Amino acid sequence: MAGVEPPPARGATILHADLDAFYASVEQLLEPALRNRPIAVGGSVVLAASYEARSYGVRGGMPGWRARQLCGDLLFVGGHFERYQQFGDDVVSVFHDFTPWVERVSIDEAFLDVAGTVHLLGAPTEIAAAIRRRVRDEIGLPVSIGVASTKHLAKVASQVAKPDGLVAVAPGDEMSFLDPLPIGLIWGVGAATERRLHDVGIFTIGQLAEAGSPILANLLGQAAGTKLAALSTNVDERAVREAAGPKSMGAQAALGRRAPTPQLVRDTLGYLADRVAARLRKATLAGRTVTVRVRFAQLRSVTRSVTLPTAISTTLTLTEIAEGLAGAALRDNEREREISLLAVSVSNLHPEHSLQLELPVDAPAWRRDAAPRPRSVVEAGRWGVDRSVDAIRDKFGRTAVGYAAVALSDAERVPEEFRELAERGPGGSSGEE
């Protein structure tokens, strides 16, 4: 039903469904001996933890050695990455049996608008309960659901419902529900933002609402402050929409707090550009606008972007452009001694076949008496190399071949299978935070 808008929501008709400890729950489903035991997917890094492991403080993104310190009985499993997508797709199919308006935001969560089906299937809470029963009975996985009048509030409610629960917020009860909750439940508040708000005495969503937009903008920046002020009072006009094609593709890497040495910047941007460019080519897309974001130690971020005359999808070209943009951002902020994140994105996307008009791969462009542009010659060569790399990776796996600067880097990365799985989501961007 692409292009069809859902009917206007009346009351609390938006659902947010979130599979509980998804990767770990799939492992426990596939191997009954793991059920009710503290397990973690991963090895050197915890990619996901079961609720039994979380009760000891084990969390995703935590170093493996630290997780073992917290939970001596913790069992690490390698992960059935090929099965995760299948289970996620099966669950979304159940959602579509209850409403055509399903907005999948990741492999394990989605928003649903049931305003148009309540006259057939019952109240939103009844629909949510029926979805939970079917996912449990037919697929075997637990799912928590929040029901509310806005997407933001439904997502908060689903987090409160975890594990394996259902929470509905009736119209008129929004602020009494939100006010006492911790700020970490707000969409977009990460650990660093949470610490900064705690430092000034803001711990609950109600306190965040009282602070107001001017104070939050001064503390977190105009965009972030305005957004959090709105969400803290449940101002969220976004509708549930079917996922559209990506408007951009990007990747980011959280770095902790590190000095922006040329080696660190070059290796990180090379890795990110390799991921983004490969995904562009896989989707037969190329982009004209390249944006780099640098986040400094105190959460202040700067971006630099450039719009090119011709769309690109080659890894080395994207790497070079990203390095130049990051270098400009760092030079403009010489007083900053540490960075905590680098991100690369490509937007202004076009079908990749349009590139063929720019690349001199046809005979006339290679005649001895022709004068092809040097950049076109370089791009043609790089495009051919990238296509060869893509073909080898498709057959033997991503780690089978790569550019030396990325392949030989000693930086610890999330396993490739996990990263590729995350990048299949509808949003088009991925991260390492």
Side-chain angles (χ1 to χ4, degrees):
M1 303 187 72
V4 179
E5 294 290 335
R10 294 181 176 86
T13 61
I14 295 179
L15 280 57
H16 180 261
D18 195 349
L19 289 159
D20 297 317
F22 176 56
Y23 302 111
S25 293
V26 170
E27 297 302 327
Q28 291 175 321
L29 178 63
L30 295 176
E31 179 49 71
L34 299 178
R35 295 174 188 174
N36 302 314
R37 296 184 61 183
I39 70 166
V41 180
S44 60
V45 176
V46 176
L47 304 179
S50 67
Y51 276 100
E52 295 83 0
R54 294 184 189 189
S55 68
Y56 290 89
V58 178
R59 295 290 185 269
M62 179 179 289
W65 61 266
R66 176 58 178 158
R68 291 185 177 91
Q69 280 185 337
L70 293 172
C71 180
D73 296 328
L74 185 65
L75 178 64
F76 275 89
V77 295
H80 291 79
F81 298 98
E82 73 285 353
R83 300 295 301 278
Y84 297 152
Q85 187 71 49
Q86 173 195 335
F87 278 105
D89 292 346
D90 289 344
V91 171
V92 172
S93 293
V94 172
F95 298 162
H96 277 285
D97 287 343
F98 290 85
T99 175
W101 293 289
V102 176
E103 180 181 343
R104 189 175 187 176
V105 293
S106 71
I107 190 174
D108 58 352
E109 63 176 315
F111 288 101
L112 298 78
D113 191 320
V114 298
T117 56
V118 291
H119 64 292
L120 296 173
L121 303 176
T125 52
E126 295 173 341
I127 294 173
I131 290 173
R132 282 174 26 81
R133 284 194 299 271
R134 280 194 54 186
V135 171
R136 171 68 82 175
D137 295 345
E138 298 176 15
I139 302 171
L141 294 173
V143 58
S144 293
I145 299 181
V147 183
S149 57
T150 66
K151 292 173 75 172
H152 159 63
L153 189 57
K155 183 172 175 67
V156 172
S158 73
Q159 306 314 297
V160 174
K162 286 181 174 292
D164 195 17
L166 167 61
V167 168
V169 183
D173 293 341
E174 291 91 349
M175 297 316 301
S176 61
F177 174 78
L178 281 174
D179 283 353
L181 295 177
I183 55 176
L185 289 179
I186 288 188
W187 203 351
V189 173
T193 300
E194 187 175 27
R195 285 194 300 270
R196 194 158 193 183
L197 291 170
H198 285 174
D199 288 343
V200 297
I202 298 175
F203 295 90
T204 68
I205 296 177
Q207 291 172 332
L208 193 67
E210 290 178 3
S213 183
I215 293 176
L216 295 176
N218 185 58
L219 185 66
L220 304 172
Q222 186 65 44
T226 301
K227 176 183 176 182
L228 291 186
L231 294 180
S232 68
T233 56
N234 195 38
V235 176
D236 183 6
E237 300 297 330
R238 295 170 302 161
V240 175
R241 304 180 187 278
E242 288 185 300
K247 296 180 180 179
S248 66
M249 287 193 181
Q252 62 186 32
L255 304 171
R257 295 179 59 156
R258 301 176 66 179
T261 63
Q263 185 72 41
L264 173 66
V265 173
R266 184 167 52 250
D267 288 353
T268 304
L269 292 177
Y271 169 74
L272 297 177
D274 186 30
R275 301 216 68 90
V276 175
R279 289 168 54 213
L280 285 168
R281 294 190 299 271
K282 191 176 185 68
T284 63
L285 293 171
R288 291 182 55 210
T289 301
V290 179
T291 302
V292 167
R293 179 162 63 100
V294 181
R295 190 175 71 192
F296 299 106
Q298 299 304 316
L299 295 182
R300 188 175 70 88
S301 294
V302 298
T303 60
R304 296 291 183 271
S305 64
V306 62
T307 297
L308 310 168
T310 301
I312 64 165
S313 66
T314 53
T315 296
L316 290 181
T317 300
L318 179 57
T319 301
E320 291 173 354
I321 294 170
E323 287 180 1
L325 293 172
L330 292 170
R331 285 192 299 272
D332 292 342
N333 295 270
E334 292 180 343
R335 292 180 140 184
E336 298 284 356
R337 301 301 180 191
E338 294 178 322
I339 60 175
S340 59
L341 178 141
L342 287 171
V344 176
S345 66
V346 178
S347 57
N348 200 351
L349 303 182
H350 303 271
E352 192 179 35
H353 60 72
S354 62
L355 287 178
Q356 304 313 306
L357 298 176
E358 299 293 330
L359 300 178
V361 294
D362 296 327
W366 290 100
R367 295 178 316 191
R368 291 182 180 274
D369 58 345
R373 291 175 295 168
R375 293 304 303 168
S376 291
V377 175
V378 171
E379 279 299 288
R382 289 178 173 180
W383 190 83
V385 170
D386 282 340
R387 282 300 181 183
S388 298
V389 169
D390 293 340
I392 294 172
R393 285 173 168 173
D394 286 344
K395 186 173 184 179
F396 299 105
R398 186 173 181 86
T399 58
V401 65
Y403 289 94
V406 176
L408 301 179
S409 172
D410 58 1
E412 191 172 76
R413 306 290 187 192
V414 170
E416 293 298 327
E417 299 93 337
F418 196 83
R419 177 62 54 211
E420 290 172 0
L421 183 67
E423 290 174 352
R424 292 175 194 160
S429 66
S430 66
E432 294 202 339
E433 284 195 284

